[in-house]
Amino acid sequence: MLQDKGEPVPGLEDLYREIILDHYRNPRNRGELESPPAHRVEGFNPLCGDEIVVYLRLDDDGRVDDIKIGGQGCSISQSSASMMSAAVKGKTLDEVQDLTRAFKAMMSIHEQEIGGEGDEADGDDGEAEAAASGDVRLGDLEALRGVVKFPVRIKCATLSWNTLAQGIEEATA
Amino acid sequence: MAAVTTEGPLDVAAVQADFPILGRTVHGKRLVYLDSAASSQKPRAVLDAMDRYYETTNANVHRGVYEIAEQATAEMEGARAKVADFIGAPSPTEVVFTKNFTEAFNLLARSWGGANLGPGDAVVLSHMEHHSNIVPWQILAAEKGFELRWLPVDAEGQLELGDLDRLLDGAKLLAVTAMSNVLGTLTPVRHLADAAHAAGALLAVDACQYVPHVPTDVGELGADFLAFSGHKMCGPTGIGALWGRAELLEAMPPFLGGGEMIRDVRLDGFTPNELPWKFEAGTPPIAETIGLGAAVDYLEALGMDAVREHEVSLTAYALRTLHERFGDRLTVHGPAEPAARGGVLSMALADLHPHDVAQVLDQEAVCVRAGHHCAKPLMRVLGVGATARASLYVYNDERDVDALADALDSALAFFAL
Ligand SMILES: Cc1ncc(COP(=O)(O)O)c(C=O)c1O
């Protein structure tokens, strides 16, 4: 009879790093911005009902002058949004794009691994990815790496990033 | 820890032994399956019936004159008779097999709705419907220009009936759930039927959470249409049923076109088959239909009165246990009285998000559903984005409820709340 997969169970600590819980309990940049001039964009995770609102204000040089996060969701989507807001504030749109690409690479490379063989979850492939995505430093966001061991939660982690990307697209259109 | 009791209405230990999957472990722990509202587990008897069909009588139905094709047809039509009997339908010809509830209600909307609804008409739904009893009507309303009206839900999770007659005035159909898949609320179906009929409207019942758990008699309920899915009642996925009163089904145009649903096809048109095959185009899911028949046999052998009694007492135990152990930190949405509800427990635990709760529970091999349960309008009424839902069935016992409570404790501890 089919029993356990026999693999070591990814522990909750892999998913819920202390820094994630910190961002969840004390979310950064929570609130609203007057819109306009800020751009307001909503994102939904239709699977689980998480909703996020990103308020994005760009300055004349194309920098993220300010960003605020609203909405509700699980610890992963909320902490990812919080970390994202801290990471992109003050950055140029090019830098934001690099960051987004690096973050999504961290999520999707593992997504493919999960679909295929051997989830080498020993965490030392970070450098390779950083190189692949142009030496972008993910900083705190690295803590979300463990999410990929819990495939259904990847969408929670990427929700705010997809919403931000949509916001930038609309704001610069 | 509660002892496993064998003195209740069901011998739960014996029931558990009938379900092979309950013998497995997850993360090294005993599987505690509390997601039967999404899909139930399957007893050995159902799996065997499907295997036996493939191993001994596999052939297409209603076509061959040879022995095994006759047997396959007889088994499939035998399953229809069992299902009809199980829900108190006057005749098996009133039972139309579909893929699931969703297909059944899309059939109803397309066929009955397409022929009967237009500008100036109205269909009444409630705020606690599953998306599959909302979206088909919205799609059709956009096409045909009829109105959708909504029966609200009160703070206790009951339908608010104060405005029922006004909502039904000029309506052609009332379509409601018999038991909410989020709140467990049992709705007053008979009362709704009488009110609908007095207003000249028909009543269509979403019995997805009802037929698997409560003795069902379509006549006593006063329904005109009633549908459900096999996979929530110990049967396989891929099979469900729409029951309708014969004269209504007779008058309805076919839904899908193709083989099986015709009596004659000419170049200038076709004559539809008789009931129920008029609505069953193409080769049906034969093994699944036979599996559903075996599921009905299984539930009949347990006795639906005993099933209901078991669930009421286990629900009472669960509500009591959760309240004693968590007090104000845990809310169970929906009616407080076990006799007024089914064993569907939608929980809010402290400030924890249901996803996070379900994730910790999974570590303890406790399976619950986190999300909006395909009932987003109801989630808005409740003012939440999602809930963590534990749902009980014939194979659950007090040990499972205790395991749930222990795992909820772990969640609180893990998030340090
Ligand atoms: C009350 C209710 N209605 C409808 C459905 C839809 O059933 P299915 O997905 O099997 O078509 C479900 C189950 O998800 C349900 O619980």
Side-chain angles (χ1 to χ4, degrees):
Chain A
M1 178 195 283
L2 180 74
Q3 289 287 335
D4 276 0
K5 283 184 267 174
E7 294 157 9
V9 186
L12 286 179
E13 295 72 20
D14 290 331
L15 181 62
Y16 298 113
R17 300 279 173 76
E18 197 44 54
I19 190 157
I20 294 178
L21 294 177
D22 176 57
H23 275 269
Y24 179 47
R25 296 192 187 109
N26 312 294
R28 325 291 199 265
N29 301 305
R30 183 110 194 134
E32 301 180 7
L33 292 176
E34 200 185 327
S35 148
H39 194 79
R40 181 184 186 281
V41 58
E42 289 178 20
F44 295 94
N45 183 344
L47 231 82
C48 60
D50 284 0
E51 300 178 6
I52 187 167
V53 189
V54 174
Y55 298 87
L56 181 70
R57 201 172 64 214
L58 304 177
D59 68 15
D60 295 338
D61 309 333
R63 266 178 203 280
V64 178
D65 179 36
D66 203 359
I67 181 168
K68 294 276 186 210
I69 306 289
Q72 46 150 351
C74 66
S75 59
I76 300 302
S77 72
Q78 293 293 290
S79 62
S80 179
S82 171
M83 290 184 202
M84 176 189 82
S85 70
V88 303
K89 202 162 157 175
K91 294 271 196 314
T92 66
L93 287 183
D94 281 347
E95 288 168 331
V96 171
Q97 229 147 46
D98 288 344
L99 207 54
T100 305
R101 210 172 294 131
F103 182 77
K104 293 188 76 167
M106 179 170 87
M107 292 292 144
S108 63
I109 281 174
H110 287 259
E111 227 169 336
Q112 285 158 13
E113 273 179 14
I114 285 159
E117 299 280 287
D119 180 11
E120 238 117 86
D122 48 11
D124 61 10
D125 47 354
E127 287 151 63
E129 274 161 32
S133 50
D135 269 330
V136 176
R137 293 240 338 109
L138 284 168
D140 282 4
L141 289 161
E142 284 280 346
L144 285 162
R145 181 178 295 280
V147 171
V148 294
K149 291 184 212 165
F150 299 81
V152 290
R153 304 302 292 274
I154 292 175
K155 281 207 161 60
C156 306
T158 52
L159 175 64
S160 55
W161 293 88
N162 290 332
T163 309
L164 176 68
Q166 190 193 331
I168 290 175
E169 207 178 294
E170 290 173 10
T172 54
Chain B
M1 264 299 157
V4 179
T5 168
T6 52
E7 282 169 34
L10 289 182
D11 181 349
V12 181
V15 171
Q16 286 165 350
D18 292 335
F19 289 76
I21 200 171
L22 298 179
R24 73 163 282 180
T25 58
V26 173
H27 313 321
K29 293 172 183 148
R30 178 179 77 88
L31 175 67
V32 178
Y33 189 75
L34 294 172
D35 196 19
S36 298
S39 198
S40 76
Q41 296 301 344
K42 326 299 176 199
R44 170 72 67 202
V46 167
L47 306 176
D48 285 350
M50 293 170 71
D51 280 350
R52 200 163 49 242
Y53 160 72
Y54 279 126
E55 287 168 9
T56 63
T57 47
N58 177 48
N60 211 332
V61 288
H62 304 133
R63 286 169 209 184
V65 291
Y66 49 90
E67 178 67 14
I68 62 172
E70 295 271 351
Q71 286 174 1
T73 304
E75 279 197 59
M76 178 166 163
E77 292 308 319
R80 194 189 308 274
K82 288 175 190 177
V83 169
D85 189 57
F86 192 62
I87 60 169
S91 160
T93 58
E94 296 184 344
V95 174
V96 176
F97 284 128
T98 60
K99 185 166 66 174
N100 46 31
F101 172 86
T102 302
E103 190 185 60
F105 260 40
N106 275 275
L107 186 168
L108 182 66
R110 277 285 142 203
S111 170
W112 180 85
N116 289 284
L117 298 171
D121 293 327
V123 169
V124 183
L125 308 171
S126 93
H127 283 169
M128 67 170 138
E129 298 313 309
H130 188 279
H131 294 165
S132 53
N133 186 26
I134 298 177
V135 182
W137 305 111
Q138 290 176 327
I139 293 172
L140 195 69
E143 236 172 75
K144 300 275 181 183
F146 59 89
E147 182 193 354
L148 291 180
R149 298 178 187 163
W150 301 92
L151 206 50
V153 175
D154 69 17
E156 256 78 69
Q158 301 285 355
L159 292 179
E160 252 177 57
L161 300 178
D163 267 350
L164 180 60
D165 289 339
R166 195 182 53 79
L167 287 168
L168 282 170
D169 187 24
K172 280 199 170 161
L173 181 76
L174 171 60
V176 288
T177 185
M179 187 197 286
S180 163
N181 65 314
V182 177
L183 303 171
T185 312
L186 285 162
T187 61
V189 179
R190 179 76 229 191
H191 177 80
L192 295 168
D194 292 342
H197 295 156
L202 298 176
L203 177 71
V205 178
D206 171 354
C208 264
Q209 300 295 342
Y210 192 84
V211 167
H213 303 280
V214 186
T216 304
D217 184 308
V218 292
E220 276 175 26
L221 290 173
D224 298 294
F225 297 102
L226 178 142
F228 53 96
S229 286
H231 66 95
K232 295 176 199 282
M233 53 185 286
C234 299
T237 54
I239 184 73
L242 171 69
W243 167 82
R245 285 200 289 111
E247 62 269 36
L248 296 170
L249 294 174
E250 290 286 5
M252 283 159 55
F255 173 47
L256 301 176
E260 192 77 23
M261 52 71 67
I262 45 84
R263 179 176 296 148
D264 187 23
V265 180
R266 301 162 310 276
L267 294 183
D268 63 350
F270 72 94
T271 315
N273 203 338
E274 56 200 57
L275 289 179
W277 305 289
K278 174 170 103 177
F279 295 108
E280 295 178 1
T283 299
I286 305 165
E288 286 73 11
T289 308
I290 292 167
L292 177 59
V296 166
D297 285 343
Y298 184 80
L299 290 171
E300 296 257 28
L302 295 182
M304 286 308 292
D305 286 323
V307 168
R308 173 67 185 147
E309 208 186 313
H310 164 71
E311 290 182 23
V312 172
S313 79
L314 192 57
T315 301
Y317 177 79
L319 291 171
R320 200 165 61 236
T321 302
L322 294 174
H323 182 68
E324 279 169 12
R325 289 187 55 174
F326 300 98
D328 291 343
R329 285 182 305 167
L330 187 142
T331 307
V332 176
H333 298 287
E337 176 52 50
R341 56 153 41 249
V344 176
L345 308 168
S346 267
M347 304 173 292
L349 180 62
D351 287 335
L352 289 183
H353 191 277
H355 253 184
D356 295 316
V357 174
Q359 193 82 59
V360 178
L361 265 50
D362 173 60
Q363 295 285 311
E364 306 297 329
V366 175
C367 310
V368 302
R369 178 74 165 267
H372 53 61
H373 317 295
C374 300
K376 287 202 84 170
L378 178 58
M379 293 286 128
R380 293 196 183 97
V381 172
L382 298 176
V384 298
T387 73
R389 180 187 72 184
S391 50
L392 308 169
Y393 205 19
V394 290
Y395 33 71
N396 293 121
D397 59 16
E398 296 184 356
R399 207 162 50 125
D400 295 339
V401 172
D402 292 338
L404 169 67
D406 290 346
L408 291 169
D409 249 339
S410 304
L412 286 176
F414 183 82
F415 289 100
L417 287 167

